Amino acid sequence: MTGPIKRLPHPTPGGWVLAATLSLAIGVSAWMLQTPSPQSDSGPLGSFPGLRAQETLARLMGPGLPHPIGSLANEEVRARIVDALEDIGLSPQIQSRFVCGTFRRYCGTVSNVVVRIEGKNREALLLNSHYDSQPATPGAADPMTGVAVLIEIARMFAQAPPPERSLVFLFNDGEEAGLLGATAFVEHHPWAADVRAVVNLDARGSGGPSFPAYTVGNDRAVLGPFAAAGGRVPGGSALRAISALLPNTNDLAVFDRLDVPGVMFGFARHIRHYHTPRDDLAHLNLGSLQQQGSQALAVARALASGSDAAKDGRLTFVSIGPLVLRWPERVSGVVALVLATSFVLLLGNLLRQGAVTIRETLWGAAGFPLTLVVTFLGSAIVNALRKGVTPLPLVWVSQPGPTVLGFGAVAAVWLFVGALLFRRRAGAIGFWAATGCWWCVLAVAVGFLAPGFGYLFSVPVGAAVLGAAILVATRRSTDRASGAGVAVAWGLPAAVTIMVWLPHLGLLLDLIGLGAMPPLATLFALALTPAVPMLLTSRNPWLWPAVLLVVATVSLGIGARSPAFSTTHPQWGSLVYTANADEETAGWIYTGSPVPTSLEAIGFGNETARPLAWLTTEFGSFLPTSPPTLPAPELELRDERIDEQGRRHIRAHAISPRGAPVLQIVFETATAPTEWRIDGVNVPPDQASRPLFQPGYEVVTIWTMPTAGVEFELVFDDAEPRNVWLADRSYDLPDGGDALRGARPNTAVPVATGDGTVISRKVTF
């Protein structure tokens, strides 16, 4: 055994190691965030055929029209799905039913397409994608990519020998209208009892990497095969928890009632295309289709072959380039504790050998949090300045790249400057030791308190353990002759940390945009902290923040001057004609902000309004117009009685004389009925986690109004008179609408429910 390690000389792993480490880690991270090229057909046992799925998607889209629930275009898309399934030798069935869901108290008649490939036992894997679109969009990505993927997976299984476990393919209707198709399947279809696991496909943009955005239940069964397949796996399992915080939901929220594991694979880049006319074939990233198909196929093959669908617990996984690490989530705290203990023991060895001193480590320990605090405050100041000079400091902009690069450079500048101020007292080795200790503390704390996020810290600690082991194993003078060993010891944890964190931050930007840049910049700085020792040993360490400051200034300047909207990344701005039949008032609402100059020129200005008082959406600039000529929805009281408890029972009939497909029935909360039934179906309480309507109102929405109207039964606690508001909506505009559409610039498009006409009235009974 050789003698103790001598002091680590500062010139050892200098700027060239830092540059190489950052280049490698950022390059691998960028590769992970790219989508693969579509592949050709390689048979039923081969890889997912993205090119054939592209052809299937084009056939399913037909003329590329919006196809919301209940529409003629929806019926035509459904017919094309049935034809595609029959062409591969399957016999789909149609499940049609009027249902009311627990999400937003939405109701409607759905027509699900369901087909089964029998396995050797009754247990089934459910593969699901909705096929209805929002009224404003043709829905190439959301939902039709998922539909095409499932048809191709069904084709591959139909051509292969019977699997161990059956497969049920559900192409459900009415997801955009409150998860109604999934509700109909879970509550009323006999095959729901056979389901042992669920794979759901969806999208929140027109491109980007596909990843497991949501899971339910003990997800080891569904995430295990996905992680085992390897390849280009972006991010890690923490993203499922982050996605759950967003104001979106999907069919898994309904399938969770089956008490089986489930996963949703989705992609979320180019959100300005989401629920707009830009979600078409021309703007779809076919690599996203390929990746989503490959992921769904990997899980389907594993579970159909008899893989245990009842595996206990949730799974932690993370990718480092092509390497995918995974372990049960419940052991995350133990894993972190073992790795942290290993690092501390190795650090103690280095302290005894004189490679680092306690004084240096303590100075580095003080510098670590202070530099991150400075980074956050500095990024917040820069963000405030950016908003002050940017004409439209929006969350979603047409060219986010320069702003993102600028904030990354800002974070590095503040971090590096803060570290350089501690250089004399902590030194490179002191900062390295302290950084490792801080990451150990974070790994153990997060591993036990929030185990789903633990790997974000424990994996970098594992790399730091390897680095420390290299230093201990050196056991000789670490002058220039042994600089390579020190370079690996410091470069390895830096590279691994960046490769773990950067893909997560990239996907976070897809999900939340530019709305939280100071926290995201601080997290990026945290990921850079293992690289600081290499900065401190470079020959000209101040050159790094100087260069990065120039990059930040130029990038943020470009971002500030870039247009907020473009033809490919447009403003969300629907035109809504709204009329109140009681007050005989009417007007046009433009929901986009700011109002384009072309619409300002014809009268849209500072006056604002909502189409309906209870809506939290569709708020916008208001342009009054002449009193309404369109008929308002009507209510006819058909029966009334008072029961022995003094409760009032009402049976009434509502109709839209103009044939609008959507009707809302609204009460003030204080006078709302305690029981609702529509066409004989109970309306359950709203269990949505986030309110959609203004406080003080209870709203029931029927998305598929028959031309003959609907009958509903209400029960009230007392016999007092009640006010009820009726509002119908159609997806067209009355006279004058075409002129307004023509005035809307090509950098603005309708979104979600889109352009439409809303007529309301109040009835007392």
Side-chain angles (χ1 to χ4, degrees):
M1 182 178 294
T2 59
I5 294 179
K6 296 181 180 179
R7 301 289 298 161
L8 297 176
H10 286 309
T12 305
W16 69 269
V17 178
L18 177 60
T21 299
L22 293 179
S23 298
L24 172 65
I26 293 174
V28 171
S29 300
W31 172 81
M32 292 166 64
L33 290 172
Q34 298 301 310
T35 57
S37 300
Q39 299 179 24
S40 58
D41 183 10
S42 55
L45 302 179
S47 57
F48 180 78
L51 291 175
R52 191 172 65 193
Q54 175 188 355
E55 298 172 356
T56 298
L57 175 60
R59 289 194 299 271
L60 294 173
M61 291 287 292
L65 298 175
H67 46 281
I69 179 176
S71 66
L72 176 61
N74 178 277
E75 181 180 341
E76 293 171 346
V77 168
R78 180 167 61 253
R80 289 193 286 270
I81 294 172
V82 170
D83 289 344
L85 293 170
E86 290 177 343
D87 286 345
I88 59 179
L90 300 176
S91 301
Q93 58 178 241
I94 305 296
Q95 180 199 19
S96 292
R97 195 174 189 100
F98 181 82
V99 291
C100 293
T102 60
F103 182 75
R104 310 290 190 211
R105 306 186 91 171
Y106 287 170
C107 303
T109 299
V110 299
S111 296
N112 294 336
V113 180
V114 195
V115 68
R116 183 176 183 127
I117 296 177
E118 290 292 349
K120 297 178 182 178
N121 62 64
R122 290 291 300 174
E123 288 188 351
L125 167 66
L126 175 65
L127 296 108
N128 173 78
S129 175
H130 73 98
Y131 70 86
D132 63 303
S133 75
Q134 281 278 7
T137 177
D142 176 24
M144 297 307 294
T145 292
V147 174
V149 164
L150 292 192
I151 287 175
E152 290 309 315
I153 292 177
R155 185 195 307 273
M156 298 177 78
F157 276 97
Q159 295 173 351
E164 290 293 325
R165 185 175 281 125
S166 300
L167 295 105
V168 173
F169 293 85
L170 172 61
F171 305 89
N172 84 70
D173 192 13
E175 190 267 0
E176 301 289 4
L179 316 179
L180 296 182
T183 299
F185 179 83
V186 168
E187 293 182 354
H188 303 291
H189 202 288
W191 291 348
D194 300 334
V195 173
R196 296 296 178 268
V198 180
V199 174
N200 182 40
L201 304 182
D202 213 331
R204 192 171 171 259
S206 63
S210 176
F211 63 99
Y214 297 88
T215 65
V216 295
N218 295 322
D219 59 23
R220 284 181 64 195
V222 289
L223 287 182
F226 157 76
R232 204 185 310 240
V233 179
S237 48
L239 290 164
R240 64 192 175 194
I242 296 170
S243 299
L245 301 176
L246 299 175
N248 299 82
T249 190
N250 66 88
D251 286 324
L252 276 190
V254 175
F255 296 133
D256 192 27
R257 293 158 57 183
L258 297 174
D259 195 27
V260 299
V263 60
M264 190 206 89
F265 294 112
F267 46 91
R269 189 166 296 167
H270 306 309
I271 196 171
R272 282 284 172 189
H273 299 163
Y274 181 55
H275 287 174
T276 77
R278 297 296 189 271
D279 185 7
D280 56 13
L281 291 175
H283 294 93
L284 177 66
N285 181 346
L286 297 176
S288 303
L289 179 152
Q290 173 67 48
Q291 192 168 37
Q292 189 181 60
S294 298
Q295 293 165 349
L297 179 61
V299 177
R301 279 178 168 160
L303 292 179
S305 67
S307 175
D308 186 6
K311 288 182 179 178
D312 186 32
R314 294 167 67 80
L315 184 75
T316 286
F317 75 88
V318 61
S319 58
I320 307 172
L323 175 66
V324 182
L325 306 177
R326 63 188 189 276
W327 59 85
E329 185 180 283
R330 63 175 178 267
V331 303
S332 293
V334 175
V335 170
L337 185 60
V338 170
L339 292 173
T341 302
S342 301
F343 180 83
V344 171
L345 291 175
L346 290 167
L347 179 59
N349 194 312
L350 292 173
L351 286 167
R352 289 193 301 273
Q353 295 172 4
V356 61
T357 67
I358 293 178
R359 181 174 178 273
E360 289 172 323
T361 303
L362 291 176
W363 274 108
F368 181 92
L370 287 176
T371 54
L372 292 178
V373 170
V374 168
T375 299
F376 176 78
L377 295 176
S379 299
I381 292 171
V382 171
N383 195 45
L385 294 173
R386 176 186 73 91
K387 290 183 175 181
V389 300
T390 303
L392 290 174
L394 302 175
V395 172
W396 308 105
V397 297
S398 63
Q399 299 177 29
T403 301
V404 172
L405 176 61
F407 269 98
V410 165
V413 168
W414 288 112
L415 174 70
F416 288 172
V417 168
L420 285 168
L421 295 178
F422 283 84
R423 182 188 186 194
R424 286 187 57 191
R425 296 186 180 275
I429 188 65
F431 211 95
W432 171 83
T435 297
C437 290
W438 270 111
W439 277 87
C440 287
V441 171
L442 292 171
V444 173
V446 176
F448 282 105
L449 298 177
F453 295 86
Y455 69 88
L456 291 169
F457 301 92
S458 58
V459 171
V461 169
V465 168
L466 292 176
I470 291 173
L471 289 182
V472 170
T474 303
R475 294 194 177 277
R476 58 184 174 83
S477 174
T478 52
D479 55 17
R480 289 182 181 273
S482 59
V486 181
V488 173
W490 289 359
L492 178 64
V496 167
T497 304
I498 293 171
M499 286 189 287
V500 168
W501 278 76
L502 202 55
H504 287 78
L505 295 177
L507 291 171
L508 266 179
L509 285 168
D510 286 344
L511 293 171
I512 66 175
L514 304 180
M517 291 312 298
L520 290 179
T522 305
L523 290 176
F524 179 59
L526 175 64
L528 285 179
T529 53
V532 166
M534 292 179 287
L535 167 78
L536 300 181
T537 57
S538 61
R539 293 183 181 275
N540 299 297
W542 286 98
L543 180 63
W544 282 86
V547 172
L548 289 168
L549 181 61
V550 174
V551 172
T553 303
V554 173
S555 298
L556 290 173
I558 294 173
R561 298 180 64 86
S562 298
F565 312 115
S566 67
T567 55
T568 54
H569 292 85
Q571 180 191 50
W572 292 332
S574 299
L575 288 163
V576 181
Y577 174 84
T578 176
N580 186 315
D582 302 313
E583 300 176 3
E584 295 189 349
T585 58
W588 301 92
I589 293 176
Y590 180 72
T591 63
S593 179
V595 178
T597 55
S598 56
L599 291 176
E600 283 184 335
I602 58 178
F604 285 97
N606 295 326
E607 184 180 356
T608 58
R610 303 180 193 276
L612 300 166
W614 51 86
L615 294 182
T616 58
T617 57
E618 295 187 318
F619 179 80
S621 178
F622 182 70
L623 175 64
T625 188
S626 56
T629 58
L630 295 172
E634 298 176 356
L635 179 81
E636 177 188 359
L637 185 63
R638 292 188 169 177
D639 188 33
E640 178 179 4
R641 66 181 178 88
I642 307 297
D643 66 18
E644 295 177 353
Q645 289 79 36
R647 299 184 304 171
R648 187 184 184 196
H649 295 249
I650 293 291
R651 184 168 62 86
H653 181 264
I655 191 171
S656 171
R658 64 191 186 92
V662 183
L663 177 72
Q664 287 190 320
I665 307 169
V666 184
F667 289 89
E668 292 178 334
T669 302
T671 61
T674 57
E675 298 178 25
W676 301 65
R677 287 176 66 86
I678 298 177
D679 280 349
V681 176
N682 285 322
V683 180
D686 184 2
Q687 297 179 14
S689 58
R690 299 173 182 85
L692 179 66
F693 303 110
Q694 296 284 355
Y697 294 96
E698 289 202 15
V699 183
V700 170
T701 306
I702 304 168
W703 288 93
T704 56
M705 271 292 289
T707 55
V710 296
E711 187 169 282
F712 56 92
E713 303 166 62
L714 309 173
V715 179
F716 300 94
D717 281 338
D718 56 53
E720 295 297 318
R722 295 298 201 273
N723 292 326
V724 59
W725 286 265
L726 302 176
D728 63 10
R729 175 188 288 269
S730 57
Y731 308 132
D732 54 8
L733 295 177
D735 292 342
D738 289 341
L740 294 179
R741 280 195 179 114
R744 180 170 51 197
N746 60 4
T747 55
V749 292
V751 64
T753 51
D755 297 342
T757 299
V758 178
I759 311 294
S760 63
R761 75 181 313 167
K762 182 174 71 173
V763 177
T764 301
F765 59 84

